[in-house]
Amino acid sequence: MTLVELLRQRAQEADALGLAVELLEGLWADDETDTLSRWEERARGAAQARWFGFGRWRRGRALSAFVAGSGTAPADPWPSWASARPVPPGLLLALADAVAVERALRERVPLLLGRDEEQLKQARLETAAGLSEVSGELARTVAAEAMTRGRSLMGQRLQALRRRSGFQKSQRNLMTHLKAWAISTHSVRQLELTPKLFDLVVIDEASQCSIPAVLPLLFRAKRALIIGDPMQLGHIPGITAQQERQARVRAGLSAAQLEDHRLAYHVYASYHAAAQHGESALLLDEHYRCHPAIADIVNGYCYAGQLQVLTDVRRQVPASDPFGRNDPAPVLGWADVPHGESARGGSGQSWRNAAEAGRVRETVDELLLRLPPDATVGVVTPFRAQKEALARFWPDNERVRVGTVHAFQGGQRDVMVLSPVATDNTPPRTAHWVASQVNLWNVAVTRAKSQLITVGSHAFWQEQAGLPALLAERSAVLRTDAYADQDTAVRAERVSSVREELADRLQEYLGERGITDLERAAVVGGHTVDLLFTVDGTNTAVLIDPGPRNNQDPARHLRLTHARADLLTGLPSGGAGAKAGPVTRTVRVPAWRILAGEAVLEPLFS
């Protein structure tokens, strides 16, 4: 049972008895916990004693000892049962249960109070840095030794690849020295066709790999680790759906069989098949690329809020308003093109929007003037025709990359400009297709590190469904004069009722100490903090730590909480209750300390 659970249980049992928690805390306060243990044993024995064992007398004596154990007269009066006789056995059992909880708390709380959190954090950081250094040195040493031993064999391997013959023999010779090989799915034929050739095969970006493409690799593997994101773009099929149907019929397979095993070529990638049949799955939930306001768009919609966004915005390029009207600029901006029209591309197979392309050019040109010289800009669109039109604007500028969403998968830029093309005159079928491509929008949005500016008809996309509508809702409309409510780009996380109760208690405690310049659920650099307050002109951010969830590793939970706290120092804060200024201090407040009361909160805020 966690400390929070113990504290809540103590409060519940004290309430059921009509007993102030302070009376339990004061019981034999100066003695060892053995005193509580002995009384608990005595009370349980007395509760079970019969008349011939002097049960009534023993119960009365046990209750008198309990009341006397509080020492001096308590501030809160004892309930009437404290002096009533005879003593019911059930009362003693209830008191014994409450004392058992109090004893468990007294045994555990001092152990936690004795820990120096800053010292613990520093030790963790030093250990992680030392492990990284030793691991790197080991890898370099092993690689250098293998290179020395296998240098001549590597030359033979290169010659064999150039001759396109004998490369399997050269591989066998070289594998005795080089234990790790990196290869694409298209080049796997260069490896010897031998089952279980490798102890472990790691397939990265498996959501982009078709099932047939990975079969030659799996044939050569004793074990396989499949890494991928099913919410990103999948592979591009090399055959038509009709050809797949014909192949399935020839093989005597039903569509239901392929569906059950996630093997349908046009529907599933190798990731889906592996997830269906693999032993276990691990979510890589730590996100470090996007500004929290950008990551929040996809976190809730695509990942059920499971991502731990740990982006350090202090290392990012500051967002810039391309029209230079407002500072700070919104992280999520929208350059409105209300009267644009979409049209077929030259080949008739894609779509473009000339007015939108012109606004994209204006936006990017202004960004290049205002952003730091080393900042990079990406221009992304779902349609090839629009990409071809946009690419002509910056043919020789290395700071600007233009591409379709598929081309950008795996890439990133400081600032991304998104051109969705579709607008009021777009055929409904095309507009629906674009709006419904969740994976496509997920990739497009998450290529941006510090800022995402969408260029298109804001009203049109607000009326759509899914991710594009959410993006339109969260984005601040950029104007030549001003833009409306820049706070739409950064929203505080939803607070649970439990966390709200803890914040209420902590705010009450701080208020009793005269701290009134305070904000609840404040957003600092895109990260939500539970409380932000100002004392003597300096701002302190408070993170309430409810503890690890069920089955969550406590050590990892603490590491992530420390990491969140480390992201806040120096960031601008305040202005909505707390004074405007940088965060100078961050405090992690475990939930149990709030429930335990002032005595254990005092050291954190003294």
Side-chain angles (χ1 to χ4, degrees), residues 250-326:
R250 285 196 302 270
L253 297 170
S254 68
Q257 285 176 301
L258 296 184
E259 175 65 28
D260 288 344
H261 294 284
R262 303 295 187 266
L263 295 176
Y265 175 70
H266 269 77
V267 180
Y268 300 112
S270 58
Y271 175 88
H272 302 99
Q276 181 76 352
H277 299 283
E279 296 177 2
S280 60
L282 173 67
L283 176 66
L284 303 180
D285 59 356
E286 297 179 26
H287 180 92
Y288 295 92
R289 174 192 292 157
C290 301
H291 188 285
I294 300 172
D296 187 57
I297 294 286
V298 300
N299 189 14
Y301 196 91
C302 298
Y303 302 103
Q306 296 180 88
L307 296 184
Q308 302 285 334
V309 181
L310 300 170
T311 309
D312 190 346
V313 299
R314 297 167 299 188
R315 299 184 178 184
Q316 290 189 327
V317 172
S320 176
D321 179 1
F323 306 109
R325 297 289 181 178
N326 294 275

Side-chain angles (χ1 to χ4, degrees), residues 2 12 15 19 49 106 134 201 206 208 216 218 226 255 270 323 337 349 356 361 363 386 389 474 479 543:
T2 67
Q12 291 169 0
D15 184 63
L19 186 68
R106 293 191 194 180
V134 171
V201 168
Q208 295 184 67
L218 297 179
I226 313 297
S270 58
F323 306 109
V337 185
Q349 299 297 314
E356 199 169 287
R361 182 179 189 177
T363 301
Q386 185 78 342
R474 298 281 184 90
R479 307 184 189 281
L543 296 177

Side-chain angles (χ1 to χ4, degrees), residues 5 24 52 55 140 157 177 180 243 265 329 357 364 405 443 547 567:
E5 291 169 336
L24 280 175
F52 50 79
R140 288 188 292 271
R157 172 71 173 171
H177 302 290
Q243 289 174 314
Y265 175 70
V364 172
V405 180
V443 172
L567 298 173

Side-chain angles (χ1 to χ4, degrees), residues 81-93:
W81 50 253
S83 55
R85 297 294 184 273
V87 178
L91 173 62
L92 276 188
L93 290 175

Side-chain angles (χ1 to χ4, degrees), residues 453-476:
I453 298 177
T454 306
V455 179
S457 172
H458 190 252
F460 172 81
W461 287 107
Q462 276 187 312
E463 295 173 357
Q464 305 308 305
L467 262 180
L470 180 61
L471 179 60
E473 175 193 344
R474 298 281 184 90
S475 298

